[in-house]
Amino acid sequence: MYAFSYHKPATAQEAADLMASADEGAYLAGGMTLVPTLKQRLAAPSDVIDLTGIHGLRGIRTLDGKVKVGATTRHAEVAANEHIPVLADLAGRIGDPHVRNCGTLGGSVANSDPAADYPAAVVALDATVHTNKRAIAGDEFFKGLFETALEDGEIVTAVDFRAPSAAAYAKFPNPASRYAVVGVLVARYGDQVRVGVTGAGPCAFRAANIEAALAADFRPGAVDDVGIDYGDFNADLHASAEYRGHLVRVLAKRAVAQIGSADSG
Amino acid sequence: MEISLNVNGTAHSLEVPANTLLSDILRERLRLTGTHVGCDTSQCGACVVHVNGDAVKSCTVLAGQANGASVTTIEGIGTPDDLHPMQTAFRDNHALQCGFCTPGMIMSAIELVEKNDGLTEQAVRDGLEGNLCRCTGYHNIVKAVLAAARQM
Ligand SMILES: Cc1cc2nc3c(=O)[nH]c(=O)nc-3n(C[C@H](O)[C@H](O)[C@H](O)COP(=O)(O)OP(=O)(O)OC[C@H]3O[C@@H](n4cnc5c(N)ncnc54)[C@H](O)[C@@H]3O)c2cc1C
Ligand code: FES
Ligand code: FES
């Protein structure tokens, strides 16, 4: 690890000021992505600015049908929270217990790893990402591979999720890391259906054609004939783009089946 | 930077470079070499300790993040004459071979048992997701954790 200065500011303003005056600053939350990156010498920040000392960034609150999760709330805390069961289920399947005891929602969404789980929830659960400067619609947040709508130095403070009437997250985990090879979150809002996909493309996205098929006929079979354009999907040693395209359809069906069995049960 | 932390009930104040990892503080500065380091990628879990009651990978915690924390390592849970029930269960069930993964396994397993009632075999396997063992094939480790859960 290269040398750096460590700071733990008490307010978002102080953190932003430290970032502005640093040669090359890096925010730190749970450290589950940043610290391994530092250890591999893939980053060389002059200043590491720990956000976990900022008051008011950690915790879960509900307000009129929405659940607000503070940016430094750990995966384990979301996994133990009952307000949106599908979000708890998703968070409880991130990595392993130690990663969930440290890793945070804000770190996960700011990082926009193509294989991260939370981004599927941000797009499927009609989320709003709050920062120290503005509110960004979940649909507009992820821009590409490790790329988001955040500007330099902008801090995620919380994410609001809209509670669905029913939802399920189906994930094909990489057996070694547990990251999603592909993950599909299907959420019903009355007659409306939202489908968030992670792992498949450069960043999380909504699958409009699956949404339309399911809005017309909410059964697993309705996804069978939906064409999946895997042209810009990720291909690596774990899965080809075509296989990821196949997984999108299979996992969407599994999620719908899970919702269906919960509805009838 | 100056940090203070409590390790196994003893308070320490140390001057360390900011890029020091908690695992290195424990091993190199405090000579608590029971905490092992088995990988460079935060995946093996040999380095697991409890920080403020949560099992975490000490190789992925910076000195500044550990400042003010209360840390428990494998050295803090039992003595050779008075083993922790989890240690006894690992011994009784032949849950270790080379022993390299064992400190991390035991610290993870203790958290798992303390935070969950009515553990099933599958829940133990899921709960040890972050701990790799190259020797045992996990089977006896799972047996040991289930046995300890009945004792704790
Ligand atoms: C072994 C292992 C397995 C994992 N498995 C999974 C998995 O299955 N699924 C999954 O989704 N993830 C997985 N992860 C990643 C994990 O969820 C991370 O916790 C998460 O991606 C980053 O969160 P963090 O709080 O640790 O962020 P950090 O590592 O502290 O930061 C990550 C990045 O986000 C920036 N950042 C952090 N917080 C903010 C903020 N509030 N505002 C702006 N920028 C910010 C940092 O500057 C940094 O660039 C795994 C990690 C490990 C080590
Ligand atoms: S040494 Fe491998 S996870 Fe810490
Ligand atoms: S006993 Fe050898 S690695 Fe687990």
Side-chain angles (χ1 to χ4, degrees):
Chain A
M1 223 184 306
Y2 297 110
F4 53 77
S5 308
Y6 171 90
H7 312 269
K8 195 169 182 180
T11 65
Q13 186 58 49
E14 224 182 295
D17 291 346
L18 282 163
M19 183 61 96
S21 61
D23 276 346
E24 196 187 327
Y27 290 131
L28 171 73
M32 291 294 107
T33 294
L34 184 64
V35 176
T37 310
L38 295 174
K39 285 167 67 176
Q40 309 277 341
R41 294 194 166 184
L42 295 172
S46 59
D47 297 82
V48 169
I49 303 158
D50 189 339
L51 301 175
T52 61
I54 298 175
H55 300 296
L57 286 198
R58 184 168 168 190
I60 303 170
R61 283 184 294 142
T62 51
L63 40 131
D64 33 272
K66 293 192 178 183
V67 174
K68 193 185 216 57
V69 182
T72 60
T73 310
R74 296 168 182 179
H75 307 332
E77 292 160 349
V78 176
N81 189 278
E82 297 146 357
H83 292 306
I84 300 186
V86 72
L87 196 62
D89 176 55
L90 175 147
R93 290 195 276 156
I94 294 176
D96 57 49
H98 321 108
V99 170
R100 297 195 291 273
N101 279 342
C102 296
T104 69
L105 170 70
S108 179
V109 302
N111 200 43
S112 186
D113 187 306
D117 293 295
Y118 270 129
V122 171
V123 295
L125 300 179
D126 199 10
T128 305
V129 180
H130 296 274
T131 77
N132 56 336
K133 294 182 177 159
R134 58 195 167 131
I136 306 169
D139 283 347
E140 304 292 316
F141 187 75
F142 300 105
K143 295 295 188 194
L145 195 66
F146 296 104
E147 214 184 293
T148 66
L150 293 173
E151 288 161 11
D152 281 351
E154 197 169 357
I155 299 169
V156 175
T157 54
V159 180
D160 285 345
F161 297 93
R162 187 153 69 90
S165 32
Y169 179 59
K171 170 179 177 180
F172 189 89
N174 175 315
S177 74
R178 318 312 285 174
Y179 273 103
V181 176
V182 173
V184 179
L185 199 157
V186 176
R188 276 190 109 160
Y189 292 91
D191 296 338
Q192 241 204 324
V193 182
R194 295 176 68 100
V195 177
V197 178
T198 192
C203 64
F205 62 90
R206 281 174 65 190
N209 47 359
I210 300 180
E211 291 179 353
L214 289 174
D217 180 11
F218 197 82
R219 286 182 308 114
V223 184
D224 277 334
D225 299 326
V226 177
I228 308 288
D229 177 7
Y230 54 83
D232 72 339
F233 278 12
N234 309 320
D236 53 30
L237 78 166
H238 306 300
S240 65
E242 185 182 8
Y243 183 58
R244 281 190 163 84
H246 172 72
L247 284 179
V248 169
R249 195 183 295 114
V250 170
L251 294 172
K253 289 172 71 170
R254 284 188 191 167
V256 172
Q258 198 183 322
I259 294 170
S261 60
D263 275 356
S264 58
Chain B
M1 65 184 293
E2 170 88 16
I3 63 161
S4 45
L5 72 175
N6 186 301
V7 181
N8 300 331
T10 307
H12 299 273
S13 283
L14 305 161
E15 180 67 36
V16 294
N19 61 354
T20 311
L21 297 166
L22 175 57
S23 51
D24 290 331
I25 294 173
L26 296 172
R27 289 178 54 84
E28 312 287 333
R29 296 296 300 270
L30 304 181
R31 298 288 172 193
L32 293 170
T33 53
T35 297
H36 291 169
V37 174
C39 74
D40 248 345
T41 51
S42 307
Q43 284 178 311
C44 77
C47 63
V48 170
V49 301
H50 295 181
V51 173
N52 300 325
D54 296 325
V56 306
K57 290 170 174 167
S58 62
C59 73
T60 315
V61 175
L62 298 174
Q65 295 176 288
N67 190 14
S70 181
V71 179
T72 306
T73 71
I74 189 74
E75 289 90 347
I77 60 161
T79 63
D81 296 330
D82 184 18
L83 293 177
H84 187 281
M86 190 63 74
Q87 292 173 307
T88 305
F90 267 60
R91 187 177 63 185
D92 292 350
N93 289 278
H94 194 56
L96 60 147
Q97 289 177 30
C98 80
F100 194 86
C101 70
T102 312
M105 282 287 178
I106 286 183
M107 297 312 285
S108 296
I110 290 174
E111 179 194 55
L112 185 66
V113 170
E114 282 177 350
K115 289 189 180 173
N116 297 282
D117 292 328
L119 279 174
T120 60
E121 179 186 332
Q122 191 56 47
V124 172
R125 289 186 186 275
D126 291 345
L128 296 178
E129 191 62 64
N131 294 83
L132 302 183
C133 176
R134 299 303 299 272
C135 305
T136 63
Y138 301 99
H139 203 67
N140 287 351
I141 293 177
V142 176
K143 276 208 291 196
V145 177
L146 289 169
R150 290 191 288 272
Q151 303 293 318
M152 284 169 62

